[in-house]
């Protein structure tokens, strides 16, 4: 088993076998591979129930007893992914890492993701052992091989990490923290071009404890997380390496939980990544990875492996995982504390929200009106000109263009656009031309028109808008449809769902800061899921979630975790159902991280067969001048591809061109 720091608690899933007899185990493995075929079940049962140190003793005894190499025999008898997994378990950790890196830089092309994962996540001691193991196994110098296979700033950072000289002192100098924040800021955000050497020096050498404080101070000083600056200033594999380094400094188990999730989500499984992580973390921090995985992805690592793999390969992975954490939203206490710390960090965050559409600097409404008229006059329509003008003007400027168009030509620009454009492009361009409150009012009206109600649209709009936005929507709805929004909601919805929507539609959410004593009382109020009936529980949730300020609710959610070891979102999903559950979850997600809420909605609108163009259009239009840049950042962080790429892969023609213009750039 891995050596523990003094006083540290063992967090691996594989333990020393209590009645260990290496000679007997060697004999069992020999018999399992003797004759025709092999007893794979016996092999996996034995190897996954012994620690790595014990496996090395088995290898030695196997050679002594039978004059044969156990790893060579396993390679001969087993095949495919199962063979790679079992053989990986049989190597000492440093030699396993050395083999992974050798494979990553051998042959045509380099597996940069493997290099990044290993070198960004290992401790100084593990790096030193890796370098020695590489030298011993391949009689080559690891640093020289990496230099020969990589280039540029990516290469320089890898070489820095290979030295294994990260500071390990937990005593942190506040002055040095402030100096590093200033140096990073000046090297990136404040500089024309980027001083990559500063990023490499600070992120490659400072202690984890020091850098965590640097990241906190960087957020307070600049209003943006260090990750956002790295994405904005760096690129390619170097950017990916620096982001991985930051993630491992913040939380190595969270980094691996994310890597495991991405290895199994979507079509196909990245088996090499899955094997490498399950082998390398099984005696280090697998329990922490499992807890964070359960917290972050609302499913257990065990269940995801079970659904994504098969045969002896699956059985072995599940043994390494060590247990199933799917207990209907219940967390380990440790995972609850991780979630609590994440909330503590979010409480001090002052992330600046930014849109992607800005006022045109050389704005001339007269010229724009004439250009639009020309684009729609005569045979055919010049969609390119229409898209270019409308997507590069702010909403306020578009209203000026509408007025100027009417003054010049005695025509309604909206009516002309409606006549000339069609389908998804028409919906997008006309949406951009409407004042935001009138656009939202129209979306709400459409959601309640005809047979059936689009509850998702009602929830998305009413659960995410500010008081000022809600009040403006109410006025616009009354003006455009001669009926109050409340009356429309009352006649089209029912029960608790109706009550929640009407409460949200009043726009009377408190706007002050947090009150810790009251937050504890509120958390207690919704934590008690046993008293009263379902109706009483929903009313208690409504009273708090629909009226308290966002800042106060963040504190309520923190207190809720402290009291119950549950996340409030999981409690809602467990205790409630249908539209009531969906609207409460939307409120919670919006309070936690509104850009991430919209990033999730955008991703879901484009994944799988077919695209939900109405959802895609509604979000792109409504968030374009508010926080679409932040949404883009959350999108690439969570889904490992940019919003620009997702739109490009899922839409086409003029609609695609207009969406990309609103998106505002490739990340």
């Amino acid at each position: 088993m891995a050596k523990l720091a003094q006083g540290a608690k063992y967090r691996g899933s594989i333990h020393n076998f209590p009645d260990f007899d290496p000679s007997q185990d060697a004999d069992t493995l020999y018999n399992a591979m003797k004759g025709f075929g092999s007893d794979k079940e016996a092999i996996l049962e034995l190897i996954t129930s012994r620690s790595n140190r014990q496996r090395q003793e088995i290898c030695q005894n196997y050679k002594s007893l039978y004059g044969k190499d156990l790893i060579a025999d396993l390679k001969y008898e087993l095949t495919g992914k199962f063979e790679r997994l079992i053989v990986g378990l049989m190597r000492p950790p440093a030699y396993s890492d050395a083999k992974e890196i050798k494979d990553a830089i051998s042959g045509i092309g380099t597996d940069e993701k493997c290099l990044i994962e290993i070198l960004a996540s290992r401790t100084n001691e593990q790096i030193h052992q890796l370098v020695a193991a590489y030298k011993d196994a391949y009689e080559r110098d690891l640093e020289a091989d990496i230099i020969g296979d990589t280039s540029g700033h990516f290469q320089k950072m890898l070489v820095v990490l290979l030295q294994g000289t990260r500071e390990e002192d937990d005593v942190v100098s506040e002055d040095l923290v402030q100096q590093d924040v200033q140096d990073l800021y000046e090297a990136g955000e404040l500089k024309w071009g980027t001083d990559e050497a500063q990023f490499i020096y600070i992120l490659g050498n400072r202690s984890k404890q020091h850098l965590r404080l640097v990241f906190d101070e960087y957020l307070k000083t600049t209003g943006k997380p260090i990750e956002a600056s790295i994405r904005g200033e760096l690129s390619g594999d170097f950017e990916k390496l620096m982001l991985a380094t930051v993630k491992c400094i913040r939380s190595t188990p969270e980094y691996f939980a994310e890597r495991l999730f991405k290895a199994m989500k979507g079509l196909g499984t990245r088996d090499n990544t899955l094997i490498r992580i399950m082998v390398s973390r099984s005696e280090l921090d697998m329990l922490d990875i499992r807890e964070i995985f359960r917290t972050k992805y609302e499913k257990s690592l065990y269940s995801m492996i079970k659904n994504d793999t098969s045969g002896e390969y699956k059985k072995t992975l599940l043994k390494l995982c060590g247990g199933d954490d799917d207990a209907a939203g219940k967390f380990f206490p440790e995972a609850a504390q991780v979630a609590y710390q994440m909330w503590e960090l979010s409480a001090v965050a002052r992330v600046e929200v930014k849109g992607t559409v800005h006022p045109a600097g050389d704005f001339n409404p007269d010229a724009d009106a004439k250009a639009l008229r020309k684009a729609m006059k005569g045979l055919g329509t010049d969609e390119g000109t229409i898209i270019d003008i409308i997507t590069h003007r702010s909403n306020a400027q578009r209203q000026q263009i509408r007025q100027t168009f009417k003054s010049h030509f005695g025509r309604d620009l909206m009516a002309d656009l409606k006549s000339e454009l069609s389908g998804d492009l028409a919906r997008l361009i006309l949406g951009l031309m409407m004042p935001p409150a009138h656009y939202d009012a129209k979306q709400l009206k459409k959601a309640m028109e005809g047979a059936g109600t689009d509850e998702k649209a009602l929830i998305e709009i009413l659960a995410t808008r500010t008081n000022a936005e809600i009040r403006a929507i109410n006025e616009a709805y009354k003006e455009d449809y001669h009926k109050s929004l409340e009356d429309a909601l009352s006649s089209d919805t029912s029960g608790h769902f109706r009550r929640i929507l009407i409460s949200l539609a009043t726009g009377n959410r408190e706007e002050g800061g947090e009150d810790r004593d009251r937050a504890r009382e509120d958390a207690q109020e919704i934590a008690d899921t046993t008293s009263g009936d379902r109706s009483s529980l929903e009313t208690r949730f409504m009273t708090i979630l629909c009226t308290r300020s966002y800042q106060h609710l963040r504190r309520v959610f923190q207190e809720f975790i402290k009291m119950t070891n549950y996340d409030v979102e999981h409690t809602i999903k467990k205790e409630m159902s249908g539209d009531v559950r969906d609207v409460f979850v939307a409120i919670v997600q919006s309070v936690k991280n509104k850009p991430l809420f919209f990033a999730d909605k955008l991703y879901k609108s484009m994944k799988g067969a077919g695209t939900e163009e109405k959802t895609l259009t509604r979000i792109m239009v409504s968030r374009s001048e508010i926080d679409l840049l932040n949404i883009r950042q959350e999108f690439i962080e969570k889904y490992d591809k940019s919003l620009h790429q997702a739109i490009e892969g899922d839409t086409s023609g003029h609609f695609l061109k207009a969406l990309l213009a609103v998106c505002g750039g490739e990340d």
Side-chain angles (χ1 to χ4, degrees):
M1 285 193 321
K3 190 170 76 176
L4 290 177
Q6 193 170 5
K9 191 175 168 187
Y10 182 67
R11 301 295 293 156
S13 54
I14 299 293
H15 302 265
N16 280 324
F17 190 70
D19 300 314
F20 178 56
D21 183 338
S23 296
Q24 187 178 320
D25 285 350
D27 190 52
T28 301
L29 288 171
Y30 180 77
N31 287 321
M33 293 185 282
K34 198 166 69 172
F36 185 72
S38 54
D39 186 348
K40 297 180 181 69
E41 192 79 30
I43 293 169
L44 78 87
E45 280 289 339
L46 191 147
I47 288 174
T48 57
S49 58
R50 306 296 186 269
S51 68
N52 191 277
R53 183 184 60 75
Q54 290 175 331
R55 292 181 208 126
Q56 304 318 308
E57 289 187 56
I58 296 169
C59 281
Q60 290 164 5
N61 276 267
Y62 192 90
K63 189 164 272 187
S64 300
L65 288 169
Y66 306 109
K68 301 178 76 175
D69 183 76
L70 175 54
I71 289 180
D73 280 4
L74 288 167
K75 278 183 173 179
Y76 180 78
E77 291 292 333
L78 309 177
T79 58
K81 295 175 284 193
F82 179 53
E83 178 241 308
R84 290 205 305 275
L85 179 54
I86 291 294
V87 169
L89 287 167
M90 292 308 300
R91 291 192 181 101
Y95 284 81
S96 185
D97 278 351
K99 175 73 165 65
E100 290 290 329
I101 285 188
K102 186 76 170 69
D103 289 347
I105 57 179
S106 293
I108 299 169
T110 305
D111 183 354
E112 290 85 2
K113 287 182 179 177
C114 172
L115 294 181
I116 289 168
E117 179 196 299
I118 292 174
L119 296 180
S121 66
R122 301 313 193 243
T123 64
N124 287 346
E125 185 182 356
Q126 288 167 339
I127 291 284
H128 297 152
Q129 290 169 352
L130 160 62
V131 170
Y134 192 91
K135 186 82 171 173
D136 181 50
Y138 307 111
E139 297 181 350
R140 297 178 66 87
D141 181 69
L142 177 53
E143 184 178 323
D145 281 0
I146 281 181
I147 288 172
D149 213 65
T150 59
S151 61
H153 297 297
F154 178 57
Q155 177 198 87
K156 288 173 189 169
M157 183 62 176
L158 289 175
V159 169
V160 167
L161 294 173
L162 262 180
Q163 306 316 300
T165 53
R166 184 178 296 286
E167 296 161 4
E168 294 181 329
D169 190 357
D170 281 341
V171 178
V172 176
S173 159
E174 287 185 21
D175 290 342
L176 187 56
V177 167
Q178 292 297 338
Q179 185 61 53
D180 282 350
V181 168
Q182 193 59 36
D183 287 348
L184 287 170
Y185 192 39
E186 288 175 0
E189 298 286 336
L190 295 182
K191 190 179 176 70
W192 180 258
T194 306
D195 182 359
E196 289 87 352
Q198 277 288 20
F199 279 86
I200 290 170
Y201 176 72
I202 293 170
L203 295 182
N205 289 285
R206 299 285 192 245
S207 74
K208 285 192 169 188
Q209 186 63 28
H210 173 90
L211 284 171
R212 285 177 193 132
L213 292 175
V214 168
F215 300 160
D216 290 349
E217 285 302 315
Y218 190 90
L219 180 63
K220 290 178 190 174
T221 302
T222 68
K224 61 166 67 176
I226 188 70
E227 291 90 339
S229 290
I230 289 171
R231 284 200 189 89
E233 299 298 327
L234 312 179
S235 62
D237 292 323
F238 180 46
E239 175 198 342
K240 289 171 188 167
L241 174 57
M242 298 307 259
L243 287 172
T245 302
V246 169
K247 282 177 185 173
C248 289
I249 285 159
R250 288 196 188 279
S251 168
T252 304
E254 186 171 356
Y255 170 71
F256 282 113
E258 187 178 303
R259 292 278 294 157
L260 285 167
F261 179 74
K262 287 177 179 174
M264 291 182 281
K265 73 166 186 161
L267 290 171
T269 304
R270 297 173 194 169
D271 293 293
N272 286 349
T273 302
L274 180 56
I275 290 167
R276 185 171 57 243
I277 297 173
M278 295 302 289
V279 168
S280 66
R281 311 315 291 186
S282 60
E283 294 185 37
L284 294 173
D285 51 7
M286 186 58 72
L287 297 186
D288 295 320
I289 292 168
R290 273 170 45 186
E291 290 163 3
I292 290 168
F293 195 99
R294 183 68 185 81
T295 306
K296 199 166 180 177
Y297 302 113
E298 302 171 30
K299 64 179 81 176
S300 69
L301 175 58
Y302 188 97
S303 68
M304 199 159 181
I305 291 170
K306 193 174 177 182
N307 293 329
D308 217 63
T309 58
S310 60
E312 284 86 10
Y313 176 54
K314 172 170 82 172
K315 287 178 185 174
T316 310
L317 288 170
L318 293 178
K319 290 273 187 185
L320 295 178
C321 182
D324 189 359
D325 311 313
D326 263 340
K330 192 166 187 177
F331 303 139
F332 296 123
E334 290 91 342
Q337 291 313 309
V338 168
Y340 180 72
Q341 285 159 15
M342 286 161 66
W343 283 117
E344 283 291 348
L345 184 61
S346 76
V348 301
R350 292 187 296 105
V351 177
E352 185 184 355
V353 291
K354 291 181 179 177
T356 54
V357 174
H358 309 282
D362 53 351
F363 178 54
N364 183 337
D366 189 62
D368 285 348
K370 286 175 182 173
L372 287 169
R373 176 69 179 137
K374 185 181 176 185
M376 293 185 283
K377 210 168 155 186
L379 284 173
T381 305
D382 182 357
E383 287 93 346
T385 295
I386 295 170
I387 291 166
D388 192 51
I389 292 173
I390 289 174
T391 59
H392 292 94
R393 306 294 183 269
S394 68
N395 194 275
Q397 289 176 334
R398 293 182 206 124
Q399 304 318 309
Q400 285 183 254
I401 296 170
R402 283 180 70 177
Q403 192 60 51
T404 305
F405 194 89
K406 183 163 269 186
S407 300
H408 274 346
F409 307 111
R411 301 173 68 90
D412 180 6
L413 176 55
M414 293 290 281
D416 281 7
L417 287 167
K418 200 169 187 178
S419 165
E420 294 291 329
L421 306 175
S422 62
D424 296 325
L425 178 64
R427 273 196 294 273
L428 177 61
I429 294 295
L430 290 167
L432 289 167
M433 288 304 303
M434 295 181 74
H438 289 265
Y439 179 73
D440 277 347
K442 184 175 183 181
Q443 298 307 303
L444 291 169
K445 180 78 164 63
K446 280 182 171 294
M448 294 183 280
E449 268 177 355
T453 303
D454 184 352
E455 290 87 1
K456 287 181 180 177
L458 296 179
I459 290 168
E460 179 203 301
I461 294 169
L462 294 174
T464 61
R465 302 309 192 248
T466 65
N467 284 347
E469 288 166 342
I470 291 283
R471 288 170 196 148
I473 292 168
N474 273 290
E475 289 175 20
Y477 200 95
K478 186 82 172 173
E479 181 186 333
D480 294 345
Y481 308 111
H482 312 293
K483 182 179 184 180
S484 75
L485 176 57
E486 183 179 330
D487 286 346
L489 291 167
S490 293
S491 59
D492 209 68
T493 57
S494 61
H496 273 283
F497 182 55
R498 174 170 63 194
R499 290 176 58 203
I500 295 162
L501 292 182
I502 289 172
S503 175
L504 292 171
T506 60
N508 284 326
R509 185 179 293 284
E510 296 165 4
E511 294 186 336
E514 65 180 58
D515 178 333
R516 289 199 176 215
D517 291 337
R518 189 185 183 205
R520 278 189 284 273
E521 290 169 13
D522 286 346
Q524 189 63 59
E525 185 74 13
I526 56 176
D528 185 7
T529 57
T530 54
S531 69
D533 57 15
R534 176 66 52 82
S535 177
S536 162
L537 180 65
E538 289 173 353
T539 300
R540 279 182 277 140
F541 266 86
M542 183 183 76
T543 301
I544 290 163
L545 293 183
C546 295
T547 65
R548 306 293 194 258
S549 73
Y550 270 32
Q551 194 173 339
H552 179 80
L553 282 172
R554 288 190 187 103
R555 178 58 62 184
V556 173
F557 299 162
Q558 289 172 304
E559 296 299 331
F560 189 90
I561 289 172
K562 278 172 74 178
M563 281 177 193
T564 66
N565 281 340
Y566 285 64
D567 182 278
V568 69
E569 190 176 329
H570 293 125
T571 299
I572 290 167
K573 288 175 179 175
K574 181 187 172 190
E575 299 292 336
M576 299 174 198
S577 61
D579 296 328
V580 170
R581 175 199 61 211
D582 293 346
V583 70
F584 282 151
V585 166
I587 294 168
V588 169
Q589 289 177 344
S590 182
V591 170
K592 285 178 176 180
N593 185 336
K594 195 177 288 185
L596 179 58
F597 169 79
F598 283 115
D600 284 340
K601 297 281 283 184
L602 284 170
Y603 178 77
K604 286 170 186 169
S605 77
M606 292 182 279
K607 76 166 188 170
T611 305
E612 294 175 21
E613 287 87 358
K614 289 180 182 175
T615 303
L616 176 58
T617 299
R618 186 172 59 242
I619 296 172
M620 295 296 286
V621 169
S622 64
R623 310 314 295 182
S624 60
E625 292 184 45
I626 299 173
D627 55 3
L628 190 53
L629 187 63
N630 307 81
I631 292 166
R632 273 170 40 187
Q633 290 164 352
E634 295 293 346
F635 194 99
I636 196 169
E637 174 73 27
K638 182 162 182 180
Y639 297 110
D640 225 17
K641 68 174 172 182
S642 67
L643 177 57
H644 188 282
Q645 288 171 319
I647 291 169
E648 215 167 26
D650 219 65
T651 60
S652 60
H654 293 299
F655 182 50
L656 163 64
K657 185 181 177 185
L659 283 172
L660 292 182
V662 174
C663 182
E666 167 65 287
D667 299 308

